[in-house]
């Protein structure tokens, strides 16, 4: 099942080097991988609202506004022009706050479908790319087959992005769902958006999935996954020993590695203060539109 | 890891001919060399007749007062010009700069598709996607036209004298327009280099280039050149120095297949294999493809379409990701030499002159593009 704005990513075996356990994220969101650091406190939906208006926190809500930290590609003018185009697009479509682990429903314009629209519901397993190239991968199981579709968030074919369930998971990417039991990737296409309090802290789902027996898509025993139950029960002793050899416990102390993969805080403040007022305006507009549509049961129109 | 700053100074004089028939290798003209050519591929030293450009910045022991006095002198000399230009400095959309060609009688030279106009020097600032009206993605490269000014004009007769006997003598007369980009503090350069900019009265430029132009395209020194020199939908050629890959093996350099990774292959996975041509030849033929230096060569990417022009920041968006060079390197843009892509209507000739007090549109788009301020695409 593919459409003009998405791609199917199939299960790929053995494309990684011998010392690598899984694909590297091309863009870090400006925080440490949750699998390396102690897991965050879990919260419920009834928590009191926490003001998330401070500038450094925008890096979680709008991660694609931060440019690729690689200095070879940095140019302030291009980044500024890109941000202007992103804001123009955001005025036409609501790109809501969502995280890896949230369940989204994306509607795209499809010339080949009878209704000229194509709606897909799935769990977000990864957020990739910076600027106008920002995309997300949604996964679901349709007719017994796992389907993943990569959507470019700023593609004008996208008509609507709904967040059905806003939550985070214990890991920064969920590629292990490909090797997990199917119930963890199955979401009904008729799923209704779940109620949530605007502005509340994002709940972290402490779910631990069960993996299917090997062979796997990647060496999950080496990935230090928090969201997987009993990884070691599926692997041999030799694999366990090899995993211990390949561990890099010093990485969490590597300040230079973190510096190279993130934008410094003062630059982040500079970037977000440039776009802050427009983003806030748009937030209010889209919030009102959502409230009206809930009340009148009409779809949001631009 | 080498951090390349955005103010990297590339070569001092990019003396390149617009047409490749002008193959004059000895006078510092670059030619697009390919594999079997015996012409030396790259020069790692500046050409002999070039002026010394930068000066060693030793500690001169100037007092604070003297330093500020020097800054004042420079500012007074170059009234209205600023340096170093901040990376994202917008141009006024309503330009009130008197056109330098005001009062000069308009020449009676008509533009034809075979007329060669001036070109521009731009900086490749990066790549980002735009979309067509049917939703297909188009990757575009952004080329920022930095503070371009005409420095000098050399008439065809004078140029022929310098170049020396050409078989095209008199038949296709070409003058030379020396264009400079990216003005900088004169204190960075030598006195001799700064003197090049005396007649035009502009700040000394970091990048200089020649463009061969046909009669009628000449411009007086000091004329500013803008991104509007080209139009949306026009086809251009973009020339530059490709990225330096260093010493590379045959697999990367020439696309050799190498040998199997396993099945008994011993220490021969990415090697070139046989280099002989048989008993009769009994030698290795010149031009045999072997490992060596790759990249850092002059290349021209032909026939690229301009999809969008931002008049506020003087940025040209071209439909291509294969622009020679890395991000933040200089490139030269000029009208394409591909006849099927010549413009059907006359472009701004000899160049675009901003009319006093007329407001420009900030962004000019190609008609096939989806503007981001349009609503989402709908096939109903």
């Amino acid at each position: 099942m593919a459409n003009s704005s998405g791609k199917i990513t199939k299960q790929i075996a053995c494309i990684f080097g011998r010392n690598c356990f899984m694909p590297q994220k091309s863009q870090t969101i400006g925080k440490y991988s949750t699998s390396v650091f102690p897991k965050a406190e879990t919260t419920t939906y009834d928590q009191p609202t926490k003001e998330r208006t401070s500038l450094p926190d925008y890096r979680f809500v709008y991660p694609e506004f931060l440019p690729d930290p690689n200095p070879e590609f940095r140019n302030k003018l291009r980044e500024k022009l890109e941000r202007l185009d992103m804001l123009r697009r955001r005025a036409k479509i609501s790109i809501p706050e969502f995280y890896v682990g949230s369940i989204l429903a994306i509607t795209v314009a499809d010339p080949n479908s009878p209704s000229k629209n194509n709606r897909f519901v799935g769990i977000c397993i990864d957020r990739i790319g910076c600027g106008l190239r920002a995309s997300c991968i949604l996964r679901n199981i349709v007719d017994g087959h796992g389907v993943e579709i990569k959507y470019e968030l700023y593609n004008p074919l996208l008509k609507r992005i709904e967040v059905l369930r806003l939550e985070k998971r214990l890991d920064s990417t969920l590629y292990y769902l490909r090797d997990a039991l199917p119930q963890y990737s199955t979401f009904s296409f008729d799923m209704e958006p779940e109620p949530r309090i605007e502005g509340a802290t994002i709940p972290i789902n402490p779910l631990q999935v069960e993996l299917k027996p090997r062979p796997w898509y990647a060496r999950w025993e080496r990935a230090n996954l928090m969201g997987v139950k009993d990884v070691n029960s599926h692997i041999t002793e030799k694999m366990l020993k090899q995993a211990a050899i390949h561990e890099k416990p010093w990485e969490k102390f590597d300040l230079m590695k973190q510096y190279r993969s993130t934008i410094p805080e003062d630059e982040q403040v500079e970037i977000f203060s440039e776009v802050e007022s427009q983003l806030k305006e748009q937030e209010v507009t889209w919030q009102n539109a959502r409230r009206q549509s809930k009340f009148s049961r009409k779809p949001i129109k631009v | 890891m080498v951090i390349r700053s955005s103010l990297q100074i590339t070569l001092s004089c990019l003396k390149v001919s617009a047409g490749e028939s002008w193959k004059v290798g000895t006078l510092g003209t670059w030619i697009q060399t390919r594999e079997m050519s015996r012409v030396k591929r790259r020069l790692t030293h500046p050409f002999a007749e070039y002026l010394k450009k930068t000066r060693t910045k030793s500690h001169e022991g100037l007092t604070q007062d003297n330093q500020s006095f020097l800054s004042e002198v420079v500012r007074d000399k170059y009234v209205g010009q600023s340096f170093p230009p901040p990376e994202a400095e917008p141009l006024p959309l309503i330009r009130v700069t008197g056109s330098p060609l005001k009062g000069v009688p308009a020449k009676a030279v008509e533009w034809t598709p075979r007329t060669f106009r001036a070109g521009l020097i731009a900086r490749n600032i990066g790549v980002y996607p735009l979309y067509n009206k049917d939703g297909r993605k188009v990757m575009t490269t952004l080329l920022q036209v930095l503070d371009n000014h005409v420095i000098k004009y050399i008439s065809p007769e004078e140029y022929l004298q310098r170049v020396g006997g050409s078989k095209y003598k008199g038949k296709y007369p070409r003058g030379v327009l020396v264009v400079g980009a990216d003005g900088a503090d004169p204190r960075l350069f030598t006195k001799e280099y700064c003197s090049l900019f005396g007649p035009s009265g502009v700040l000394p430029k970091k990048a200089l280039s020649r463009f061969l132009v046909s009669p009628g395209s000449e411009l007086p020194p000091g004329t500013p050149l803008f991104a509007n020199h080209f139009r949306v939908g026009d086809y251009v050629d973009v020339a530059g120095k490709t990225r330096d890959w260093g010493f590379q093996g045959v697999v990367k350099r020439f696309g050799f297949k190498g040998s199997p990774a396993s099945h008994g292959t011993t220490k021969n996975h990415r090697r070139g294999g046989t280099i002989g041509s048989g008993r009769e030849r009994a030698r290795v033929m010149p031009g045999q493809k072997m490992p060596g230096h790759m990249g850092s060569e002059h290349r021209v990417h032909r026939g690229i379409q301009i999809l969008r022009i931002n008049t506020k920041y003087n940025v040209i968006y071209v439909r291509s990701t294969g622009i020679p060079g890395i991000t933040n390197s200089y490139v030269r843009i000029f009208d394409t030499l591909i006849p099927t892509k010549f413009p059907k209507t006359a472009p701004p000739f000899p160049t675009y002159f901003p009319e006093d007090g007329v407001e420009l549109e900030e962004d000019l788009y190609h008609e096939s593009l989806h503007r981001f301020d349009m609503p989402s695409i709908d096939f109903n």
Side-chain angles (χ1 to χ4, degrees), chain B residues 55 58-71 187:
Chain B
R55 42 174 273 263
S58 53
H59 176 63
E60 285 162 2
L62 292 174
T63 58
Q64 196 68 21
D65 279 342
N66 282 343
Q67 277 180 24
S68 47
F69 173 69
L70 281 178
S71 301
R187 283 169 283 178

Side-chain angles (χ1 to χ4, degrees), chain A residues 255-270:
Chain A
L255 282 177
M256 282 316 295
K257 190 180 169 99
Q258 205 234 329
Y259 176 76
R260 282 193 299 267
S261 59
T262 53
I263 306 287
E265 191 179 344
D266 47 351
E267 248 189 271
Q268 286 193 21
V269 169
E270 214 182 285

Side-chain angles (χ1 to χ4, degrees), chain A residues 75 78 85 92 133 156 159, chain B residues 125 127-128 328 373 377-378:
Chain A
N75 182 283
R78 186 207 70 239
D85 277 336
K92 297 295 166 189
R133 281 179 267 210
K159 289 179 113 172
Chain B
I125 60 173
V127 169
Y128 73 63
N328 297 319
D373 47 17
I377 293 170
D378 195 5

Side-chain angles (χ1 to χ4, degrees), chain B residues 90-101:
Chain B
L91 288 170
L93 287 175
I94 304 176
R95 299 201 189 131
V96 196
T97 57
S99 163
L101 279 203

Side-chain angles (χ1 to χ4, degrees), chain B residues 144-256:
Chain B
Q144 183 191 10
V145 176
L146 305 149
D147 214 16
N148 279 18
H149 284 96
V150 171
I151 307 301
K152 194 156 89 163
Y153 176 68
I154 303 166
S155 65
E157 299 78 29
E158 199 187 329
Y159 184 59
L160 267 181
Q161 270 182 358
R162 290 189 193 197
V163 157
S166 162
K167 62 179 175 176
Y168 298 106
K169 194 171 188 172
K171 202 171 174 190
Y172 304 113
R174 294 270 184 277
V176 172
L177 263 182
V178 178
V179 172
D182 207 359
D185 187 345
R187 283 169 283 178
L188 294 175
F189 305 110
T190 54
K191 191 172 158 189
E192 297 79 24
Y193 186 78
C194 288
S195 67
L196 287 174
F197 303 92
S200 53
V202 298
L203 277 171
K205 305 287 187 185
K206 282 204 196 123
L208 279 177
S209 174
R210 283 180 177 182
F211 294 97
L212 291 180
V213 296
S214 35
S217 313
E218 57 264 15
L219 293 162
T223 314
L225 300 171
F226 303 100
N228 289 87
H229 179 79
F230 297 110
R231 298 166 302 171
V232 161
D234 279 354
Y235 290 89
V236 291
D237 292 343
V238 180
K241 200 167 144 195
T242 55
R243 60 178 286 186
D244 197 338
W245 292 94
F247 194 100
Q248 289 296 337
V250 284
V251 170
K252 192 176 195 70
R253 200 177 180 214
F254 297 116
F256 281 21

Side-chain angles (χ1 to χ4, degrees), chain B residues 313-375:
Chain B
Y313 294 98
N314 244 5
V315 173
I316 300 173
Y317 294 62
V318 289
R319 182 206 294 266
S320 167
T321 48
I323 300 295
I326 53 169
T327 308
N328 297 319
S329 62
Y330 294 114
V331 293
R332 300 163 67 249
I333 317 173
F334 43 92
D335 294 322
T336 190
L337 297 177
I338 300 175
T340 49
K341 297 192 171 158
F342 282 160
K344 306 278 187 294
T345 54
F349 181 67
T351 188
Y352 165 77
F353 295 117
E355 288 159 36
D356 272 339
V358 171
E359 188 173 351
L360 292 162
E361 225 180 283
E362 189 182 331
D363 266 305
L364 303 162
Y365 290 82
H366 192 255
E367 56 192 4
S368 68
L369 279 185
H370 174 268
R371 305 169 74 121
F372 286 108
D373 47 17
M374 287 172 166

Side-chain angles (χ1 to χ4, degrees), chain A residues 18-262:
Chain A
R18 268 169 285 171
N19 293 325
C20 176
F21 64 83
M22 65 177 287
Q24 298 298 315
K25 265 176 80 67
S26 53
Q27 147 79 347
T28 53
I29 303 181
K31 57 177 178 174
Y32 302 114
S33 151
T34 49
S35 56
V36 174
F37 280 81
K39 70 177 176 185
E41 282 169 20
T42 56
T43 53
T44 62
Y45 288 93
D46 311 325
Q47 280 288 306
T49 59
K50 180 188 168 196
E51 279 290 300
R52 229 187 310 102
T53 53
S54 59
L55 283 173
D57 284 342
Y58 273 169
R59 72 184 192 270
F60 301 117
V61 184
Y62 306 107
E64 68 268 13
F65 276 85
L66 293 176
D68 193 330
N70 189 343
E72 278 190 25
F73 307 131
R74 301 274 331 255
N75 182 283
K76 288 214 166 116
L77 176 59
R78 186 207 70 239
E79 287 157 20
K80 182 173 178 169
L81 291 172
E82 199 165 2
R83 265 176 256 132
L84 288 173
D85 277 336
M86 284 161 76
L87 287 171
R88 285 185 194 116
R89 178 64 192 149
R90 273 177 173 267
K92 297 295 166 189
I93 184 176
S94 156
I95 300 176
E97 176 189 2
F98 68 95
Y99 301 89
V100 167
S102 305
I103 300 168
L104 305 183
I106 293 184
T107 315
V108 295
D110 188 356
N112 303 315
S113 128
S115 63
K116 304 293 181 191
N117 287 338
N118 192 329
R119 184 172 182 266
F120 186 75
V121 170
I123 185 169
C124 175
I125 62 168
D126 198 3
R127 279 191 87 154
I128 314 152
C130 332
L132 288 167
R133 281 179 267 210
S135 24
C136 65
I137 302 179
L138 298 190
R139 180 182 168 79
N140 206 337
I141 295 192
V142 177
D143 290 344
H145 297 284
V147 174
E148 287 176 13
I149 305 184
K150 185 176 180 184
Y151 290 102
E152 290 163 351
L153 296 172
Y154 290 88
N155 192 319
L157 285 171
L158 260 65
K159 289 179 113 172
R160 191 171 179 198
I161 306 172
E162 287 167 83
V163 178
L164 304 176
R165 186 189 299 166
L166 178 62
E167 65 180 11
K168 296 185 198 179
R169 294 281 275 264
L170 296 172
D171 301 299
S172 51
T173 58
L174 299 176
Y175 286 101
Y176 55 77
L177 289 178
R178 295 171 179 177
D179 292 320
L181 296 174
Q183 69 245 36
Y184 297 104
S185 308
T186 315
F187 302 95
S188 165
F189 271 59
D190 304 319
M191 192 170 164
E192 292 282 330
E194 286 169 16
R196 64 172 181 271
I197 305 166
E198 297 276 359
T201 37
I202 314 295
I204 299 174
N205 189 343
L207 177 67
Q208 292 203 305
V209 307
E210 289 159 32
L211 294 180
K212 293 190 279 198
R214 282 186 300 110
W216 287 335
Y217 159 73
R219 297 177 211 263
W220 301 124
E221 75 278 6
R222 295 191 194 181
N224 299 319
L225 301 168
M226 313 285 266
V228 173
K229 193 194 245 177
D230 297 331
V231 191
N232 294 345
S233 62
H234 298 277
I235 59 173
T236 60
E237 263 205 47
K238 186 183 174 189
M239 288 169 79
L240 196 62
K241 277 190 203 155
Q242 287 291 308
I245 291 166
H246 286 102
E247 243 178 41
K248 295 178 188 169
W250 58 84
E251 265 191 352
K252 61 176 176 279
F253 303 114
D254 194 345
L255 282 177
M256 282 316 295
K257 190 180 169 99
Q258 205 234 329
Y259 176 76
R260 282 193 299 267
S261 59
T262 53

